[in-house]
Amino acid sequence: MDILVFDTGPLAHFARAGWLGVLKTLVGSRRAIIPVQVSLELRQASGHEQAVGTVLDATWIELHELNTEEELRVFARFAAYLMSEGRNEGETAVLAVAATMPAQAVLDDSAGYRAAQREGVRCIRTLALLCESIRNGLLTAELVSAVADDLIETDYRLPFKPGEFIPWAIAESRHHTQNHTSM
């Protein structure tokens, strides 16, 4: 069984947009885990945004505390180049859990994503999860477009404007097809 370890950003934005149920669909039969550090970030955000608190009540998301020697060692390694001024603790914990379980990290933070790639940790961005759901027949492109538009309304950064998901996805699909056929 595959495991997805979620960062704060995807969970908070899906909750703000009212699409936490769609995120559960994307998880499917896989386990969804958040490190304690992510739950603390979510709890802090829920103080001024009640919708974010719904993530903490989701029974399909498991809480994980870093406590093995290996997890703490890997956390310290990622912390050395990700954490500064108390920031990025959630991403650091996500990568430590994903690296040691093994599991796949779900995060959109650029620095965290680059760190995952550099260290060989399996990592996927939220938009890639949404596109994967279309390819696997879980969601329609129209539904993902609506989700993307609502995520943008919560100030989630996506590489297109509201209403532009489907044209973006078609262009990306063509781009990937051309790159694979020219090899």
Side-chain angles (χ1 to χ4, degrees):
M1 176 169 27
D2 208 7
I3 301 169
L4 298 174
V5 185
F6 281 89
D7 188 27
T8 307
L11 295 168
H13 283 279
F14 270 80
R16 286 180 191 121
W19 290 107
L20 204 53
V22 166
L23 195 56
K24 181 182 179 186
T25 299
L26 298 178
V27 170
S29 62
R30 298 175 282 196
R31 287 174 59 200
I33 293 177
I34 59 170
V36 169
Q37 292 84 345
V38 168
S39 73
L40 293 172
E41 291 176 357
L42 290 166
R43 190 168 317 285
Q44 185 177 21
S46 71
H48 57 277
E49 292 184 88
Q50 189 175 0
V52 176
T54 61
V55 176
L56 299 170
D57 298 329
T59 58
W60 53 275
I61 300 173
E62 301 172 35
L63 189 61
H64 180 82
E65 187 171 348
L66 280 73
N67 53 22
T68 69
E69 191 175 309
E70 183 185 11
E71 287 173 332
L72 296 173
R73 183 178 47 75
V74 173
F75 179 87
R77 189 174 75 224
F78 279 113
Y81 48 86
L82 278 180
M83 287 180 58
S84 64
E85 300 173 15
R87 296 181 49 89
N88 297 330
E89 191 172 354
E91 290 93 341
T92 303
V94 165
L95 293 174
V97 172
T100 56
M101 276 203 145
Q104 186 170 31
V106 180
L107 56 82
D108 294 315
D109 176 76
S110 294
Y113 192 82
R114 283 191 307 273
Q117 290 181 316
R118 183 171 45 248
E119 296 290 329
V121 176
R122 289 177 51 223
C123 189
I124 189 167
R125 295 182 188 264
T126 307
L127 188 53
L129 262 181
L130 286 165
C131 291
E132 180 183 275
S133 74
I134 296 169
R135 285 190 301 277
N136 294 338
L138 284 174
L139 302 176
T140 64
E142 291 75 16
L143 179 58
V144 170
S145 182
V147 170
D149 288 353
D150 288 348
L151 288 172
I152 292 168
E153 288 296 314
T154 70
D155 294 325
Y156 208 56
R157 290 185 210 132
L158 293 173
F160 47 82
K161 292 181 171 64
E164 294 180 357
F165 168 75
I166 292 176
W168 173 86
I170 291 169
E172 283 295 303
S173 176
R174 286 185 184 139
H175 175 74
H176 287 293
T177 302
Q178 289 171 352
N179 284 346
H180 290 312
T181 56
S182 63
M183 295 177 133

